């Protein structure tokens, strides 16, 4: 009899599922050359490639259309990135040259050139290129699939748990689009902040990542996948005792889900009547039905960069005004809407604007730095926001602010934008609240100075964690060090809250952490009652908040701030929740 095996990993979406394994051992990119063409077949092969290229573009557009309004635009940014690769003249030209010069079949040429690019990105010592490496693998596989009009036989996956080295984001979208229900995913590659993790969360698929040498295990037929905070593991060949335990755990988990649904329409307040505001993070358009169902108090972070990334040139004032107004009007006039100005650079690039190569672009020209160096682009955006804010509770937030002079310069340009609108006889919001993202250590240490010149702070926990811990959040080699619950991160947040309180300024959290149960308890213990998160986290957050006592939470604040490591922090928070 085989022995039960428990394998730990990191989770992307919480859940408990049991079921049959679908083992996917196929390699995505293969360097092997198996077919050489006759001269007369070369042109025909180039035509086959061109048709596959068009089919690949069409299938991506179909995906975008099918998910429009059903998923947050931010979760679909991957489609835009892949369209850019398919339109890349150098990539396309290299494949055609390989067919012509090396007499390769189109499939082999695509594999060969894609592998060349993958190796190139792998060798660049810049963390943002890890995602580009994955994107080009994904695109290469899509083209090959369209060449022989045969994708993976995913129908066999229906109702099973996928075990694989890696599955690409658009593959997952394809599977979902075909109506194939994946019970769960167990994979070797990928971190908690990867595109795949974000997508798995949006599609609500229990996903376990970081299982090293995944095919070295004897997977058998049935497994238990537990992606809850407490366990985060996969169990191979569970014994009868474990099966029984998980029957009970699953029953409790389902009861919790029902409780979340029941609390959906109730006020977001603690047991002792403390009101907490839950906002939604928005990247593109927002479905009105989502607003009605989730009932967010407004938008805590309206990312504007996707509008720029989807365009073929910098969007003009009218274009931006129309987009911002369309989103703002989905809420009532009193709802708070925070619009963040353009935040490009590092892992967010524009297809029509070539930025300089930098050794570490995460520390380079990005966020407010880009806007201040490109003032015409910045003023155009500010004018569009001011117009959309007319007669509404809209606020402006600057990203990646490092020092007070940046804030002052940005505010001068804001005044210039107002003057231009006044001269043009356009309606705009004259008195508008201004805030900054708390993302870098310098602004944490100078929070008391900034608190005297801004109306609010919004803490971006993703970048704040990255910069405080000097750990790239996209890297797989140091992913274990990227931990939002490190006491240094929590102490920084508490420090900012104290400075804000001193001057009566509001603090909200808009990073990924805001939707996590443990973090909600930690933030409330610090007195932070404004949280902005992805839509899929709002109902669970509301249900949790309704089970907490706000006054009693204050008791654990000091315990958290005296912790020596994140393990201690998590133990305190998990114990409190349970």
């Amino acid at each position: 009899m085989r022995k039960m095996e428990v394998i730990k990993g990191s989770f992307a979406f919480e859940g408990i599922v049991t079921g049959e394994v679908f083992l996917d051992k196929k390699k995505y990119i293969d360097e092997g050359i198996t077919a050489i063409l006759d001269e007369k077949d070369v042109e025909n092969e180039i035509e086959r490639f061109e048709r596959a290229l068009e089919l690949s573009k069409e299938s991506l557009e179909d995906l975008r259309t099918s998910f429009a309004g059903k998923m947050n635009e931010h979760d679909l940014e991957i489609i835009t990135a892949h369209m850019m690769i398919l339109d890349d003249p150098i990539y396309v030209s290299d494949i055609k040259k390989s067919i012509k010069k090396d007499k390769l079949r189109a499939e082999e040429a695509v594999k060969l050139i894609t592998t060349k690019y993958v190796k190139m990105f792998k060798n660049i010592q810049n963390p943002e290129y890890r995602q580009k490496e994955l994107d080009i693998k994904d695109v290469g596989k899509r083209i090959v699939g369209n060449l022989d009009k045969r994708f993976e036989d995913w129908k066999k996956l229906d109702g099973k748990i996928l075990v694989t080295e890696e599955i690409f984001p658009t593959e997952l979208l394809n599977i979902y689009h075909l109506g194939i229900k994946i019970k769960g995913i167990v994979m070797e590659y990928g971190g908690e902040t990867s595109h795949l993790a974000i997508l798995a969360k949006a599609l609500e698929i229990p996903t376990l990542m970081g299982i090293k040498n995944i095919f070295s295990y004897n997977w058998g037929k049935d497994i238990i996948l537990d992606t809850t905070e407490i366990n985060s593991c996969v169990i191979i060949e569970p014994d009868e005792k474990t099966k029984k335990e998980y029957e009970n755990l699953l029953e409790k988990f389902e009861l919790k889900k029902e409780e979340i649904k029941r609390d959906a329409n109730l006020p977001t307040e603690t047991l002792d009547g403390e009101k907490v505001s839950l906002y939604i993070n928005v990247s593109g358009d927002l479905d009105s039905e989502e607003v009605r169902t989730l009932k967010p108090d407004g938008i805590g972070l309206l990312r504007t960069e996707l509008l720029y990334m989807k365009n073929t040139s910098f969007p003009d004032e009218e274009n931006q005004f129309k987009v911002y107004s369309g989103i703002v009007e989905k809420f009532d006039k009193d709802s708070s809407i925070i619009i963040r100005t353009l935040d490009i650079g590092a892992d967010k690039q524009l297809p029509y604007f070539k930025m300089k190569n930098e050794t570490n672009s995460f520390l380079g020209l990005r966020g407010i730095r880009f806007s201040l160096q490109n003032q015409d682009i910045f003023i155009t955006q500010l004018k569009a926001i001011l117009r959309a804010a007319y007669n509404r509770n809209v606020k402006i937030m600057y990203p990646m602010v490092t020092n007070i002079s940046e804030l002052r310069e940005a505010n001068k340009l804001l005044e210039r934008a107002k003057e231009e609108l006044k001269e043009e006889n356009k309606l705009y919001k004259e008195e508008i609240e201004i805030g900054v993202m708390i993302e870098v250590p310098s602004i944490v240490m100078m929070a008391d100075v900034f608190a005297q010149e801004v109306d609010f702070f919004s803490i971006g926990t993703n970048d704040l964690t990255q910069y405080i811990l000097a750990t790239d959040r996209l890297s797989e080699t140091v992913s274990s060090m990227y931990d939002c619950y490190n006491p240094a991160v929590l102490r920084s947040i508490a420090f900012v809250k104290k400075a804000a309180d001193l001057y009566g300024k509001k603090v909200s959290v808009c990073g990924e952490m805001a939707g996590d149960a443990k973090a909600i308890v930690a933030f409330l213990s610090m007195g932070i009652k404004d949280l902005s998160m992805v839509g899929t986290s709002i109902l669970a957050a509301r249900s949790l908040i309704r089970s907490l006592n706000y006054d009693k939470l204050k008791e654990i604040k000091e315990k958290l701030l005296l912790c020596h490591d994140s393990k201690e922090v998590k133990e305190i928070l998990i114990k409190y929740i349970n």
Side-chain angles (χ1 to χ4, degrees):
M1 184 183 244
R2 283 180 57 197
K3 190 178 177 184
M4 183 176 81
E5 200 165 2
V6 180
I7 311 162
K8 291 280 187 177
S10 58
F11 71 93
F13 178 76
E14 280 201 299
I16 297 173
V17 290
T18 61
E20 189 178 340
V21 166
F22 179 92
L23 204 59
D24 175 37
K25 283 191 173 182
K26 291 184 175 63
K27 292 285 181 184
Y28 297 116
I29 299 298
D30 182 3
E31 292 181 70
I33 297 172
T34 58
I36 305 295
L37 297 169
D38 290 329
E39 186 68 48
K40 59 182 172 58
D41 295 325
V42 168
E43 287 306 316
N44 182 53
E45 210 61 19
I46 289 175
E47 285 179 17
R48 279 186 69 229
F49 166 66
E50 288 173 341
R51 282 198 302 272
L53 199 64
E54 289 308 310
L55 279 171
S56 299
K57 292 177 186 177
E58 287 170 17
S59 62
L60 283 174
E61 283 298 346
D62 286 345
L63 274 181
R64 197 202 301 274
T65 303
S66 69
F67 283 102
K70 297 175 188 173
M71 283 183 66
N72 193 310
E73 283 280 347
H74 182 56
D75 299 327
L76 298 177
E77 281 180 16
I78 191 72
I79 293 176
T80 303
H82 288 199
M83 290 294 282
M84 287 167 63
I85 295 171
L86 289 168
D87 284 327
D88 186 328
I90 299 173
Y91 177 61
V92 172
S93 173
D94 281 356
I95 292 170
K96 287 182 179 179
K97 283 177 186 173
S98 184
I99 294 170
K100 204 166 188 176
K101 182 182 173 185
D102 303 323
K103 305 292 188 295
L104 293 181
R105 289 183 67 237
E107 289 91 334
E108 304 301 335
V110 172
K111 289 177 183 179
L112 188 70
I113 299 304
T114 301
T115 299
K116 182 182 98 172
Y117 276 75
V118 165
K119 284 182 176 177
M120 180 180 75
F121 287 132
K122 198 184 283 282
N123 291 332
I124 297 174
Q125 296 303 309
N126 189 322
E128 71 187 80
Y129 286 100
R130 168 58 181 154
Q131 188 57 54
K132 291 185 179 180
E133 175 196 333
L134 295 174
D135 288 345
I136 202 158
K137 275 187 182 181
D138 195 345
V139 168
K141 188 175 183 188
R142 177 172 291 276
I143 298 170
V144 171
N146 278 313
L147 274 163
D148 58 14
K149 296 184 176 60
R150 176 191 58 79
F151 279 106
E152 301 280 348
D153 187 10
W154 288 121
K155 288 181 182 177
K156 293 175 184 175
L157 175 56
D158 198 34
K160 295 177 185 173
I161 299 169
L162 174 65
V163 175
T164 183
E165 272 188 346
E166 80 188 321
I167 180 171
F168 300 117
T170 63
E171 275 190 296
L172 191 55
L173 285 172
N174 268 330
I175 292 165
Y176 190 87
H177 179 55
L178 291 168
I180 295 165
K181 303 295 182 187
I182 303 182
K183 268 193 167 184
I185 300 171
V186 183
M187 59 189 289
E188 181 164 339
Y189 302 120
E192 292 173 44
T193 57
S194 68
H195 281 165
L196 195 282
I198 292 165
L199 196 56
K201 195 179 292 184
L203 296 174
E204 300 185 356
I205 301 171
T207 300
L208 193 71
M209 311 172 118
I211 308 299
K212 301 298 180 188
N213 304 311
I214 198 163
F215 296 134
S216 65
Y217 298 97
N218 187 358
W219 285 95
K221 190 179 179 184
D222 296 306
I223 60 173
I224 295 174
L225 176 60
D226 180 349
T227 58
T228 58
E229 173 71 43
I230 297 171
N231 298 315
S232 197
C233 68
V234 60
I235 304 170
I236 301 173
E237 294 293 328
D239 56 31
E240 289 306 314
K241 183 187 174 187
T242 304
K243 285 179 183 177
K244 189 66 181 172
E245 285 173 356
Y246 267 93
E247 282 177 19
N248 294 331
L249 282 173
L250 187 54
E251 189 177 333
K252 287 179 183 176
F253 193 78
E254 291 302 320
L255 284 171
K256 182 64 183 172
K257 283 164 71 174
E258 287 302 315
E259 186 182 318
I260 289 169
K261 286 179 185 175
R262 284 199 307 271
D263 290 347
N265 296 313
L266 296 174
T268 310
E269 59 182 37
T270 60
L271 290 170
D272 50 340
E274 194 71 32
K275 174 81 171 71
V276 178
S277 296
L278 297 182
Y279 301 94
I280 191 168
N281 290 344
V282 177
S283 293
D285 196 12
L286 183 63
D287 184 17
S288 298
E289 185 58 35
E290 191 175 11
V291 176
R292 281 193 293 272
T293 304
L294 302 176
K295 294 180 172 56
D297 292 293
I299 298 175
L301 172 62
L302 174 51
R303 299 180 182 93
T304 58
E305 45 275 10
L306 189 62
L307 169 61
Y308 288 77
M309 291 167 75
K310 285 167 68 175
N311 266 36
T312 54
S313 60
F314 285 102
D316 61 25
E317 182 189 322
E318 287 304 318
N319 186 352
Q320 292 188 61
F321 168 62
K322 184 178 176 183
V323 171
Y324 303 149
S325 297
I327 296 170
V328 169
E329 285 164 7
K330 288 183 170 69
F331 293 83
D332 62 49
K333 288 190 176 183
D334 295 326
S335 295
S336 172
I337 311 287
I338 297 176
I339 301 180
R340 184 176 71 185
T341 58
L342 182 60
D343 186 15
I344 59 161
D347 56 334
K348 290 175 282 190
Q349 301 286 324
L350 300 179
Y352 46 84
F353 185 87
K354 178 68 177 171
M355 298 188 81
K356 289 180 181 177
N357 288 327
E358 298 176 290
T359 305
N360 190 336
S361 57
F362 281 96
L363 300 179
L365 187 67
R366 56 173 301 200
I368 197 66
R369 302 170 183 180
F370 175 87
S371 294
L372 295 179
Q373 281 199 21
N374 296 273
Q375 294 187 6
D376 290 344
I377 294 167
F378 189 40
I379 287 174
T380 297
Q381 180 175 37
L382 290 173
K383 288 170 71 175
I385 295 172
L386 286 165
R387 289 174 63 194
Y390 180 71
N391 230 9
R392 294 276 180 169
N393 187 17
V394 171
K395 304 164 187 177
I396 293 174
M397 180 162 65
Y398 304 135
M400 194 64 184
V401 175
T402 309
N403 57 68
I404 200 74
S405 63
E406 291 171 324
L407 170 65
R408 291 170 180 168
E409 189 178 351
N411 282 339
K412 282 181 185 175
L413 294 172
L414 178 64
E415 291 306 312
R416 199 202 310 175
K418 289 178 184 177
E419 287 169 13
E420 289 185 16
L421 288 172
K422 192 173 183 179
E423 289 171 5
E424 294 162 4
N425 292 316
K426 293 175 181 174
L427 295 172
Y428 67 96
K429 189 178 180 78
E430 175 64 44
E431 297 297 323
I432 191 164
E433 288 188 31
I434 301 299
V436 290
M437 291 279 284
I438 303 290
E439 299 171 281
V440 298
S442 63
I443 198 169
V444 171
M445 300 310 296
M446 297 292 287
D448 59 329
V449 174
F450 278 90
Q452 297 173 61
E453 299 194 30
V454 298
D455 297 298
F456 64 92
F457 290 134
S458 188
I459 298 170
T461 53
N462 299 14
D463 271 334
L464 181 64
T465 301
Q466 173 171 252
Y467 293 126
I468 282 182
L469 302 182
T471 306
D472 168 37
R473 61 191 175 97
L474 300 179
S475 169
E476 289 177 7
T477 55
V478 292
S479 59
S480 61
M481 294 180 68
Y482 177 83
D483 191 340
C484 298
Y485 292 94
N486 186 297
V489 178
L490 294 185
R491 286 187 181 192
S492 297
I493 294 170
F495 189 85
V496 170
K497 177 68 168 99
K498 187 177 180 181
D501 286 347
L502 193 62
Y503 294 94
K505 301 299 168 69
K506 187 176 278 190
V507 176
S508 64
V509 180
C510 65
E512 197 78 15
M513 200 177 173
D516 186 88
K518 300 186 303 301
I520 291 170
V521 172
F523 295 143
L524 289 179
S525 78
M526 297 177 194
I528 298 172
K529 296 178 287 184
D530 292 83
L531 307 171
S532 190
M533 59 198 70
V534 293
T536 50
S537 298
I538 287 178
L539 297 185
R542 181 172 293 137
S543 182
L544 172 66
I545 288 163
R546 289 184 58 79
S547 72
L548 302 173
N549 186 300
Y550 182 71
D551 275 339
K552 288 184 179 178
L553 278 174
K554 294 173 187 174
E555 297 170 8
I556 69 167
K557 175 186 171 182
E558 293 309 315
K559 289 181 186 177
L560 293 175
L561 298 181
L562 289 172
C563 287
H564 292 186
D565 58 31
S566 61
K567 185 173 180 288
E568 287 180 40
V569 169
K570 290 174 185 175
E571 283 173 356
I572 291 170
L573 295 170
I574 291 169
K575 184 180 177 183
Y576 191 91
I577 292 168
N578 290 334

